[in-house]
Amino acid sequence: MRKGRSLFGLLFALGAFPGAAEEIGDADHGGGVFNKECAACHRIGPEAQHRVGPRLTGIFGRRAGSEEDFSYSKSMARMGADGLTWTLETLDAYIANPKALVSGTKMNYRGLASDADRADLMAFLREFSDEPQNIPEAEPTALKTNPDLSPEVLAIKGDPAYGEYLASECQTCHQADGSDQGIPSIIAWPPEDFVIAMHAYKQKLRPHPVMQMMAGRLNEEEIAALAAYFATLE
Amino acid sequence: MKLNRRLFLGTGIAASALLTAPTVWGQAKPKVVVIGGGAGGATAARYLAKDSQGALEVTLVEANPIYTTCFFSNLYLGGFREFESLQHGYDKMAGAGVTVINDIATAVDRAAKTVTLAGGQVLPYDRLVLSPGIDFKDGSVPGWSVDTHAEIMPHAYKAGPQTQLLKKMVEEMPEGGTFAMVAPPNPYRCPPGPYERISMIAHVLKGKNPTAKILVLDPKDKFSKQALFEDGWQRHYGTMVEWIGPDFGGGAVEVRPDTMEVVIDGEATKVDCCNVIPGQMAGKIAALAGVTDDSGWAPVDPATMKSKMDENVWVLGDSSAQGDMPKSGFSANSQAKVASMTIRGELTGSKTFPAKYSNTCWSLLAPDDGVKVGASYESTPEKIASVESFVSEVGEDAALRKATYEESLGWYAGITADMFG
């Protein structure tokens, strides 16, 4: 159920900020959220340094994985190279469910389910970014929503036989034995993570063009079938 | 066993069961013969054997015991790969349940449903998969013939000794010399291939022979990823590469291998190395089997990759005429999975699903400067039709271009594992 709520967060993020720069949330309350949820690993402010996690000063508009003196996960570096930039939309989705957006992130955080808390946190983080009035919003495509998508998609039981056929298309690039030589492994994922990740591509929240195209033409049953099949590989 | 068998043969009921359900009663399994062990054929054979779990007898006929991939052979020309890294054996095929025969198919008797090999062996089949790649149209470049001139002006468009020969010739060019490529007319294998090759040769010359010139003589007025290639050539190689399209004589080219000249619109130019990529058609066995049409390619049903000429024959990859998919290793691999699924469905009754196809082609412009183009496809009554597509953009930052190149390395590892096991 936790993931179900997180998915709500992700969907909310897609439609929640229609370009208005002001009134994200209560920055003062957000400061409290930061201290409780983030400050164990992150610092923010003019003098802030990296700790377990990178400094968050100036996070908005920054390319993911781009702080030079911080050692990111391979997965985060890859998302940055693919074009992931921190905007209200992408950062909100990441905080809601880190692994839905960046599968192999080192950020060992369960996600912040409350939409209101995330909005307040975002307002707080934004006070430490340059030109707060001009923070780049996500591309218009990132605002697309799929009206048929609901948490019930997570309950769909995939047909493994169909998944096996569909998976053959994935295996042109993603190796069946889980080898990762420039293209990530997708085997043995919990099915829910797989489904969420694929919908994030389908909605163009994750940036990679090949994956957006591949996920874009799969329906909910097909995504569930793939998730079911790949979960069985070892 | 003996007793049982006698018992069965002795009763009328068992005898009729033998006639109506041959596979159940221990007669030969359905036979699938696959000709050509590249991206289409190797993938089809492996998936047929693997997914049928022994219910089919799958035989792969391939001339070469070691296969050299044409995809990524440009990276060898550019010095980014070892030749050996392009080579793959079929040793894991047996484990997947495929019988590999290293021989050349010389005839197909579609009435008798047999394939004859050069060594004399005759292979019966229930279903036949042809994936023989390309052959060259002799006479498509005046003055050049594959049999007499490929050692002087190599095509290097079937990977192997030709690729090694071209690399050697580029490296031995005199200082300030001229390299010419005669680019092929549509349709041909790997649409961005000639232009990635130009990028790789420019990269080599920039290091070894920076005053050398490259001429691209092209019968086409536009080509795959043109804006990306032209931007890359200009950024990395300045004025080294000159592309001459049909408006300036690129479509009226004759070559003179004896004097190492190319004649462009009547005007002879001396060159030091010449790569002739001629017009192409389906691999010869497709024509011998009688499944090609006047175009030289083999028309197929978009939903299954089954030949339009014969319901027991499939044609995959470069040889097939299917619609919008480019002739590429990725396409052939994608088509092989649809073919394997439909053949299994017919022979074993396994479930079939709507065909989905896809393709992506990566090209390297210079070190860590990779670009890509791709699309997804589905079958319509007329053809395999493009559904959605994407292409890299001019002006992308260095990190994205590097990531694209690294992704292409991942793809090579992935597709070769998918083909050969």
Side-chain angles (χ1 to χ4, degrees):
Chain A
M1 276 319 289
R2 181 178 63 74
K3 288 230 173 61
R5 284 205 309 279
S6 301
L7 186 68
F8 264 133
L10 184 143
L11 296 176
F12 176 69
L14 291 171
F17 303 109
E22 313 82 34
E23 315 257 336
I24 305 168
D26 176 351
D28 288 344
H29 179 250
V33 175
F34 181 86
N35 286 334
K36 182 163 166 281
E37 300 287 331
C38 319
C41 301
H42 291 282
R43 291 289 180 269
I44 193 164
E47 307 297 322
Q49 298 297 314
H50 300 317
R51 300 290 293 256
V52 174
R55 77 174 78 89
L56 297 178
T57 321
I59 179 93
F60 287 102
R62 193 158 91 195
R63 183 69 77 92
S66 66
E67 288 286 274
E68 279 184 6
D69 44 352
F70 186 79
S71 168
Y72 291 94
S73 65
K74 207 169 166 181
S75 193
M76 182 66 84
R78 180 183 284 129
M79 292 305 275
D82 284 347
L84 180 65
T85 298
W86 296 121
T87 64
L88 289 176
E89 283 79 3
T90 57
L91 194 57
D92 187 72
Y94 183 60
I95 295 169
N97 185 346
K99 288 190 166 56
L101 193 64
V102 184
S103 310
T105 181
K106 285 199 265 187
M107 185 160 91
N108 189 15
Y109 180 63
R110 69 197 177 283
L112 184 58
S114 160
D115 299 336
D117 281 355
R118 283 200 316 281
D120 293 347
L121 177 61
M122 223 64 70
F124 171 76
L125 293 175
R126 186 163 163 168
E127 293 192 337
F128 296 91
S129 281
D130 295 337
E131 298 181 48
Q133 279 72 34
N134 297 319
I135 290 167
E137 306 299 336
E139 295 294 313
T141 50
L143 295 172
K144 274 187 184 170
T145 56
N146 182 342
D148 298 331
L149 187 62
S150 72
E152 279 77 59
V153 297
L154 291 171
I156 297 173
K157 284 272 174 275
D159 172 357
Y162 193 17
E164 184 171 13
Y165 165 64
L166 292 169
S168 69
E169 182 161 54
C170 313
Q171 287 168 352
T172 301
C173 297
H174 297 277
Q175 296 188 48
D177 68 359
S179 305
D180 173 358
Q181 290 159 280
I183 289 179
S185 166
I186 56 170
I187 69 166
W189 284 28
E192 289 186 357
D193 288 6
F194 194 102
V195 168
I196 291 168
M198 289 298 280
H199 281 288
Y201 281 119
K202 192 175 167 72
Q203 296 174 20
K204 302 191 188 297
L205 190 59
R206 285 186 176 217
H208 196 276
V210 179
M211 285 307 305
Q212 287 182 354
M213 184 180 80
M214 292 297 183
R217 66 164 165 172
L218 296 170
N219 64 34
E220 290 160 5
E221 282 73 22
E222 290 169 333
I223 288 174
L226 278 171
Y229 174 71
F230 276 113
T232 67
L233 296 188
E234 284 175 3
Chain B
M1 279 306 290
K2 223 172 188 178
L3 188 70
N4 282 342
R5 188 158 171 270
R6 249 185 226 139
L7 199 66
F8 280 138
L9 292 175
T11 70
I13 292 163
S16 67
L18 260 167
L19 292 173
T20 54
T23 54
V24 176
W25 291 97
Q27 288 199 344
K29 295 178 200 168
K31 292 181 171 60
V32 184
V33 173
V34 181
I35 299 178
T43 307
R46 210 173 72 82
Y47 273 75
L48 280 163
K50 176 171 81 69
D51 294 345
S52 67
Q53 297 172 329
L56 299 176
E57 194 181 307
V58 182
T59 305
L60 175 64
V61 179
E62 161 61 41
N64 306 293
I66 301 289
Y67 186 83
T68 309
T69 61
C70 209
F71 48 91
F72 266 40
S73 65
N74 284 330
L75 270 61
Y76 160 73
L77 291 174
F80 294 91
R81 305 279 293 199
E82 295 297 321
F83 189 74
E84 291 69 30
S85 79
L86 307 175
Q87 297 195 304
H88 305 270
Y90 294 94
D91 45 311
K92 290 182 188 151
M93 283 286 185
V98 179
T99 304
V100 180
I101 300 178
N102 292 129
D103 203 342
I104 296 170
T106 53
V108 174
D109 183 338
R110 292 198 279 118
K113 294 208 276 182
T114 58
V115 174
T116 303
L117 306 184
Q121 205 173 342
V122 176
L123 306 174
Y125 66 80
D126 294 293
R127 298 291 184 277
L128 175 66
V129 179
L130 299 175
S131 190
I134 53 162
D135 258 308
F136 299 121
K137 277 186 179 164
D138 246 353
S140 80
V141 177
W144 190 92
S145 145
V146 68
D147 293 330
T148 43
H149 302 122
E151 299 300 310
I152 308 166
M153 293 183 168
H155 56 78
Y157 228 61
K158 294 182 185 181
Q162 277 276 302
T163 322
Q164 292 171 303
L165 176 64
L166 182 63
K167 185 175 169 68
K168 185 165 168 283
M169 286 179 166
V170 169
E171 285 169 353
E172 289 174 356
M173 274 172 58
E175 193 181 330
T178 300
F179 172 94
M181 171 190 280
V182 181
N186 287 322
Y188 62 96
R189 160 181 284 183
C190 188
Y195 310 98
E196 181 189 57
R197 174 173 293 178
I198 291 298
S199 309
M200 293 296 92
I201 288 170
H203 169 71
V204 169
L205 293 175
K206 185 182 176 183
K208 281 182 190 281
N209 190 350
T211 56
K213 286 280 168 210
I214 295 176
L215 297 177
V216 188
L217 311 173
D218 208 325
K220 305 181 292 298
D221 57 10
K222 58 183 198 294
F223 58 86
S224 172
K225 299 187 211 170
Q226 184 164 359
L228 292 162
F229 280 115
E230 289 181 339
D231 170 69
W233 294 341
Q234 192 265 322
R235 277 188 297 114
H236 296 292
Y237 312 117
T239 58
M240 182 184 275
V241 180
E242 187 184 353
W243 179 75
I244 300 172
D247 290 350
F248 296 91
V253 172
E254 177 196 335
V255 298
R256 295 175 181 160
D258 295 343
T259 53
M260 283 305 283
E261 288 176 303
V262 297
V263 186
I264 307 164
D265 215 4
E267 192 180 325
T269 302
K270 190 100 177 122
V271 297
D272 300 288
C273 179
C274 187
N275 176 205
V276 176
I277 309 176
Q280 297 163 23
M281 58 189 179
K284 199 182 194 174
I285 191 68
L288 293 175
V291 295
T292 55
D293 64 15
D294 292 344
S295 72
W297 306 100
V300 294
D301 166 35
T304 57
M305 296 305 294
K306 189 187 282 211
S307 166
K308 287 186 173 171
M309 315 281 187
D310 189 323
E311 62 178 8
N312 296 313
V313 178
W314 272 250
V315 186
L316 306 181
D318 294 351
S319 283
S320 66
Q322 32 67 23
D324 293 347
M325 295 183 81
K327 298 184 185 302
S328 73
F330 198 127
S331 292
N333 171 269
S334 175
Q335 293 160 7
K337 290 158 184 176
V338 172
S340 158
M341 171 187 69
T342 52
I343 291 168
R344 276 199 304 127
E346 288 189 10
L347 294 179
T348 71
S350 67
K351 211 168 158 186
T352 57
F353 304 100
K356 283 185 196 285
Y357 303 98
S358 56
N359 176 63
T360 301
C361 291
W362 287 265
S363 302
L364 188 60
L365 304 175
D368 289 334
D369 193 353
V371 292
K372 61 185 169 187
V373 59
S376 57
Y377 304 86
E378 63 188 22
S379 66
T380 66
E382 297 78 36
K383 62 173 184 175
I384 296 181
S386 174
V387 180
E388 193 187 345
S389 65
F390 67 86
V391 61
S392 298
E393 290 168 16
V394 169
E396 289 169 341
D397 66 27
L400 178 54
R401 289 295 178 86
K402 184 167 189 280
T404 302
Y405 172 58
E406 284 167 358
E407 182 179 276
S408 75
L409 303 179
W411 166 75
Y412 187 87
I415 192 173
T416 50
D418 202 36
M419 288 162 63
F420 302 107

